[in-house]
């Protein structure tokens, strides 16, 4: 068994030596080096196998074996053989349902290119409006318009009838439901096997249930006793009758429900969410064609080669300072970071120019030489260079412009607050606007 480790960085030097299943970002669990793919709750598969194999084993030992003597020729042996073959067939269908790709759509490495501008975003002066992917798009398929949604996890627009499974963390084509009994999603590539598994399990329950009563009937005839006394002579038959009767209501009811879904060409997800009727279901092709599509159409190949070697992802293309991509679910805080926040100096400029002796726009703020020592070396150098260059105002330097894609450092925030306090308490001694520094003697 191979449990998928946490996703590794795309720039890792070992990516070239790994396979797809080893770097898989979903919650799946792989066996035999990616040849079998299961859901994260694959442990429940062992319970399902026991619920099938243990009752059949009890049936073969305590019921079918004793019926061999009660039937002439090979009829008695055939009862055991049919039970064993039917059980093996049922378990094969279970593994075909649980151990294969249900129709997972591969994730995109990067979001798709936005096609339109979001008119709700406010763009400042000199800034490019943000590109935002629409949450829902309309696509036309066979003359029918479908609304497809954007998946933030897989970074793609889901095809019609596709949904994202929160348990397996994958987008699955023709998603029906996630079955905890098989430990796998039920989708386009394994729905046929899932229905055959449920249906064959129902028939197996009926088979065991019926021959337990046959054995009780044989005891009644051979010993000329009542039904109750005959049942007391074979407690294994009583347990199997009760067990299979309860199981038939479960798997039998599930079989009938999925027969209805197949006849109307619905999935379990669509039935519970959209409540299709005959007039509104765009997928309904008629009962006969619906059954043909489910049982006789070709199963498409998997879109994932789990054993392929991982390819190095190309680096993200550089983005402009003012513009960028925005997911349809991105919050306000993320939007501000992506767009670039206003610089601290630009926000405080009007407030600082209003203090002092009433000379609006003429206020000159002095910074002592010692205070620059508290700044980082890069910022200190920038301030010194800008203050020493004639004709260039430090306030309009590159680190204080209104549009940017980085946050102000804590040192600059502290310096801004300290300068504001000095200006409010003892300002008005200088003229001009902006921030200047005293030239140190050389």
């Amino acid at each position: 068994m191979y449990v998928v480790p946490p996703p590794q960085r795309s720039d890792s030097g070992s990516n070239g030596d790994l396979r797809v299943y080893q770097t898989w970002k979903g919650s799946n669990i792989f066996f035999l080096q990616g040849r079998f793919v299961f859901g994260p709750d694959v442990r429940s598969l062992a319970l399902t196998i026991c619920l099938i194999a243990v009752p059949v084993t009890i049936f073969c030992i305590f019921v079918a074996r004793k019926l061999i003597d009660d039937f002439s020729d090979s009829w008695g042996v055939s009862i055991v053989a049919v039970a064993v073959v039917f059980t093996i067939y049922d378990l094969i269908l279970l593994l075909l349902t649980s151990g294969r790709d249900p129709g997972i759509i591969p994730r995109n490495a990067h979001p798709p290119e936005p096609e339109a501008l979001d008119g709700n975003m406010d763009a400042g002066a000199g800034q490019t409006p943000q590109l935002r992917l629409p949450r829902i798009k309309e696509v036309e398929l066979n003359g029918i318009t479908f609304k497809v949604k954007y998946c933030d996890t897989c970074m793609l627009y889901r095809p019609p009838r596709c949904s994202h499974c929160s348990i397996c963390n994958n987008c699955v084509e023709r998603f029906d439901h996630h079955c905890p009994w098989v430990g796998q999603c039920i989708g386009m590539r394994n729905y046929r096997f899932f229905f055959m598994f449920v249906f064959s399990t129902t028939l197996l329950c009926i088979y065991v249930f019926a021959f337990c009563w046959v054995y009780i009937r044989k005891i009644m005839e051979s010993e000329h006793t009542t039904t109750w006394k005959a049942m007391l002579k074979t407690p294994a038959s009583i347990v199997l009758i009760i067990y299979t009767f309860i199981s038939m209501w479960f798997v039998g009811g599930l079989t009938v429900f999925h027969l209805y879904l197949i006849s109307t060409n619905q999935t379990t997800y669509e039935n519970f969410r959209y409540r299709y009727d005959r007039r509104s279901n765009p997928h309904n092709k008629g009962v006969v064609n619906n059954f043909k599509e489910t049982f006789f159409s070709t199963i498409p190949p998997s879109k994932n080669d789990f054993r392929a070697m991982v390819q190095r992802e190309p680096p993200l293309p550089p983005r402009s300072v003012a513009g960028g991509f925005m997911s349809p679910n991105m919050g306000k805080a993320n939007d501000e970071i992506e767009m670039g926040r206003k610089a601290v100096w630009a926000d405080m400029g009007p407030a600082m120019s209003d203090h002092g002796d009433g000379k609006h726009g003429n206020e000159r703020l002095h910074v002592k030489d010692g205070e620059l020592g508290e700044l980082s070396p890069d910022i200190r150098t920038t301030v010194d260079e800008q203050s020493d260059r004639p004709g260039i105002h430090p306030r309009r330097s590159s680190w204080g412009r209104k549009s940017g894609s980085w946050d102000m450092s804590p040192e600059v925030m502290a310096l801004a607050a300290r300068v504001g306090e000095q200006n409010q308490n003892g300002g008005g001694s200088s003229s001009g606007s902006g921030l200047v520094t005293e030239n140190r003697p050389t």
Side-chain angles (χ1 to χ4, degrees):
M1 182 179 71
Y2 185 87
V3 180
V4 179
Q8 300 186 5
R9 295 176 58 88
S10 59
D11 57 353
S12 173
S14 61
N15 264 4
D17 301 326
L18 297 178
R19 298 185 183 272
V20 172
Y21 78 92
Q22 293 175 308
T23 59
W24 188 251
K25 296 181 180 179
S27 303
N28 302 89
I29 296 177
F30 298 86
F31 285 83
L32 298 180
Q33 298 182 347
R35 290 179 174 86
F36 293 93
V37 51
F38 297 90
D41 47 353
V42 65
R43 292 178 179 83
S44 61
L45 184 63
L47 174 62
T48 304
I49 293 175
C50 291
L51 292 176
I52 296 173
V54 171
V56 174
T57 302
I58 295 175
F59 170 78
C60 292
I61 295 175
F62 296 100
V63 178
R65 185 174 60 88
K66 296 182 179 180
L67 286 175
I68 294 177
D69 300 332
D70 295 332
F71 290 90
S72 58
D73 300 329
S74 60
W75 284 104
V77 177
S78 64
I79 295 175
V80 179
V82 170
V84 172
V85 172
F86 213 150
T87 303
I88 295 175
Y89 171 72
D90 198 34
L91 295 178
I92 291 176
L93 290 175
L94 173 61
L95 294 178
L96 287 175
T97 302
S98 181
R100 67 188 288 123
D101 177 5
I104 300 174
I105 298 180
R107 303 185 183 197
N108 285 333
H110 310 296
E113 290 294 332
E115 299 177 359
L117 296 177
D118 184 8
N120 297 328
M121 296 305 301
D122 296 328
Q127 289 185 331
T128 304
Q130 289 298 327
L131 299 177
R132 182 188 290 271
L133 288 172
R135 180 63 178 168
I136 298 177
K137 293 177 62 176
E138 291 186 352
V139 296
E140 187 173 340
L141 184 63
N142 297 329
I144 302 175
T145 302
F146 295 93
K147 292 183 178 180
V148 296
K149 294 182 179 180
Y150 181 78
C151 179
D152 295 301
T153 303
C154 301
M155 293 187 289
L156 51 82
Y157 282 97
R158 304 169 189 158
R161 314 193 82 177
C162 171
S163 184
H164 189 90
C165 176
S166 59
I167 300 176
C168 292
N169 199 22
N170 297 311
C171 281
V172 180
E173 286 187 286
R174 202 183 184 277
F175 177 77
D176 190 87
H177 69 288
H178 184 94
C179 181
W181 296 100
V182 303
Q184 181 62 285
C185 288
I186 307 302
M188 176 181 288
R189 301 190 67 252
N190 63 350
Y191 179 79
R192 178 185 305 176
F193 302 109
F194 170 76
F195 175 81
M196 295 172 65
F197 162 70
V198 174
F199 181 65
S200 62
T201 304
T202 304
L203 296 180
L204 183 60
C205 288
I206 295 175
Y207 183 85
V208 173
F209 180 84
F211 274 98
C212 284
W213 279 111
V214 169
Y215 181 55
I216 292 174
R217 184 67 180 177
K218 289 292 183 180
I219 295 177
M220 292 174 57
E221 293 176 355
S222 62
E223 299 186 7
H224 304 285
T225 184
T226 63
T227 303
W228 178 249
K229 290 182 178 181
M231 291 175 65
L232 292 178
K233 290 183 176 293
T234 172
S237 297
I238 299 176
V239 173
L240 290 174
I241 287 173
I242 296 174
Y243 177 79
T244 53
F245 179 78
I246 297 175
S247 300
M248 275 191 296
W249 280 102
F250 175 71
V251 293
L254 199 58
T255 300
V256 173
F257 174 67
H258 279 279
L259 282 174
Y260 161 72
L261 294 179
I262 294 172
S263 64
T264 56
N265 205 336
Q266 298 183 61
T267 64
T268 303
Y269 181 80
E270 293 170 346
N271 180 263
F272 280 92
R273 178 159 186 173
Y274 302 115
R275 298 290 183 182
Y276 284 143
D277 55 34
R278 292 184 179 180
R279 292 173 297 177
S280 63
N281 184 0
H283 309 290
N284 194 350
K285 304 175 182 177
V287 176
V288 176
N289 291 329
N290 291 338
F291 272 91
K292 285 183 178 180
E293 179 181 328
T294 302
F295 296 106
F296 300 103
S297 61
T298 303
I299 298 178
S302 174
K303 291 181 171 61
N304 302 280
D305 185 3
F306 297 107
R307 291 179 49 77
M309 303 302 295
V310 174
Q311 300 294 329
R312 289 182 178 270
E313 295 181 2
L316 286 171
R319 295 173 180 171
S320 60
V321 174
F325 159 76
M326 298 179 66
S327 168
N329 287 343
M330 193 173 291
K332 292 287 185 180
N334 291 335
D335 292 351
E336 293 175 358
I337 294 174
E338 190 74 8
M339 292 176 62
R341 297 176 180 172
K342 280 188 175 182
V344 175
W345 300 115
D347 290 337
M348 297 184 62
M352 289 190 294
S353 63
D354 290 342
H355 292 291
D357 56 357
K359 297 179 181 180
H360 301 286
N362 260 343
E363 202 71 44
R364 221 176 159 79
L365 305 180
H366 293 269
V367 183
K368 295 181 179 179
D369 182 54
E371 291 173 342
L372 286 175
E374 301 176 4
L375 298 177
S376 60
D378 295 338
I379 298 177
R380 177 190 174 106
T381 303
T382 304
V383 176
D384 288 340
E385 290 177 355
Q386 294 292 344
S387 61
D388 292 337
R389 290 173 59 184
I392 298 181
H393 203 286
R395 182 180 169 186
R396 301 189 180 275
S397 62
S398 60
W399 59 274
R401 65 185 177 219
K402 293 187 67 174
S403 61
S405 58
W406 49 274
D407 295 334
M408 303 301 294
S409 64
E411 294 92 340
V412 176
M413 299 284 287
L415 178 59
R418 187 179 299 111
V419 169
E421 292 176 358
Q422 291 177 356
N423 179 45
Q424 186 175 4
N425 296 332
S429 60
S430 303
S431 59
S433 60
L435 170 67
V436 296
T437 60
E438 295 179 355
N439 292 328
R440 291 174 293 174
T442 57

